[in-house]
Amino acid sequence: GIISLISLAVLSYERYCTMTRTAEPDTTNYRKTWAGIILSWTYSLLWTLPPLFGWSSYGPEGPGITCSVNWHSKDANNASYIICLFIFCLVIPFAIIVYSYGKLLCAVRQVSSIQRGPGRSREQRILLMVLVMVLCFLLCWLPYAAVALIATFGQPGLITPAASIVPAILAKSSTIYNPIIYVFLNKQVSDVL
């Protein structure tokens, strides 16, 4: 889950950098691509290893068919890890996504204010794509984050195993939505299809 969140943040930032770059991108240089992949995996690894060394723990999630952070433990050790996960693995990636897509949209608006005609429809298509991507991100991860926070800080037994299944599936399936959105809302790709 963390790798998908961080990957979405890195991809949104890379998309912003690529779209606002004035020079033609070098398609033979994969250094930035590898740096993004390594950064995503390293950051994710740094946030998934602490439970193995005593900061919180892993355990069965929901009805016991998957494994995740022990959301139900009420001790300070576990609560501090949950708060850090929430901030560093949900809030910060979401802020990067909003910043990147917001800056991208501003750049597209500036270009389309200079150019009338096709630039306006391109701006509207990018705005739609950005809104759909951000909404999908929120729809996938906010229910999971809410259930995790309620399980950690709410009354014991408030979140039943059955109630935690759908948010977990939504969160874990989040990586498939961005490529689908990009394919259907990117004019260059949809014209080929």
Side-chain angles (χ1 to χ4, degrees):
I2 294 173
I3 189 67
S4 71
L5 287 168
I6 303 307
S7 295
L8 289 174
V10 168
L11 285 170
S12 68
Y13 185 74
E14 179 55 31
R15 185 173 294 149
Y16 159 69
C17 291
T18 301
M19 296 290 283
T20 58
R21 192 176 297 134
T22 55
E24 194 66 30
D26 181 9
T27 57
T28 60
N29 186 353
Y30 295 104
R31 203 172 352 170
K32 282 181 116 177
T33 304
W34 281 109
I37 292 168
I38 291 168
L39 171 74
S40 298
W41 281 90
T42 304
Y43 189 84
S44 300
L45 187 63
L46 288 174
W47 283 106
T48 54
L49 286 178
L52 298 177
F53 297 104
W55 190 20
S56 188
S57 62
Y58 288 115
E61 179 180 48
I65 55 174
T66 60
C67 182
S68 185
V69 175
N70 184 358
W71 304 114
H72 300 285
S73 176
K74 302 289 185 193
D75 65 0
N77 180 27
N78 190 60
S80 65
Y81 180 70
I82 302 296
I83 290 169
C84 286
L85 271 184
F86 184 76
I87 293 168
F88 291 101
C89 297
L90 180 69
V91 174
I92 290 176
F94 181 67
I96 291 169
I97 290 169
V98 169
Y99 171 82
S100 299
Y101 286 141
K103 292 297 252 179
L104 176 61
L105 186 59
C106 289
V108 169
R109 278 195 172 158
Q110 282 181 336
V111 169
S112 68
S113 69
I114 296 167
Q115 305 171 341
R116 291 288 177 214
R120 180 61 75 195
S121 66
R122 180 173 181 255
E123 176 189 339
Q124 290 171 344
R125 197 176 308 100
I126 289 176
L127 174 62
L128 178 64
M129 184 171 62
V130 167
L131 288 174
V132 170
M133 285 180 173
V134 170
L135 281 173
C136 280
F137 181 91
L138 288 173
L139 288 173
C140 288
W141 285 102
L142 278 183
Y144 188 75
V147 165
L149 290 173
I150 291 169
T152 303
F153 299 107
Q155 296 295 327
L158 191 59
I159 302 293
T160 64
S164 66
I165 292 173
V166 173
I169 291 171
L170 270 174
K172 290 170 174 110
S173 67
S174 68
T175 55
I176 64 171
Y177 303 123
N178 259 6
I180 292 169
I181 294 165
Y182 190 74
V183 165
F184 286 108
L185 294 179
N186 186 333
K187 185 167 173 42
Q188 294 170 330
V189 176
S190 61
D191 286 347
V192 173
L193 296 175

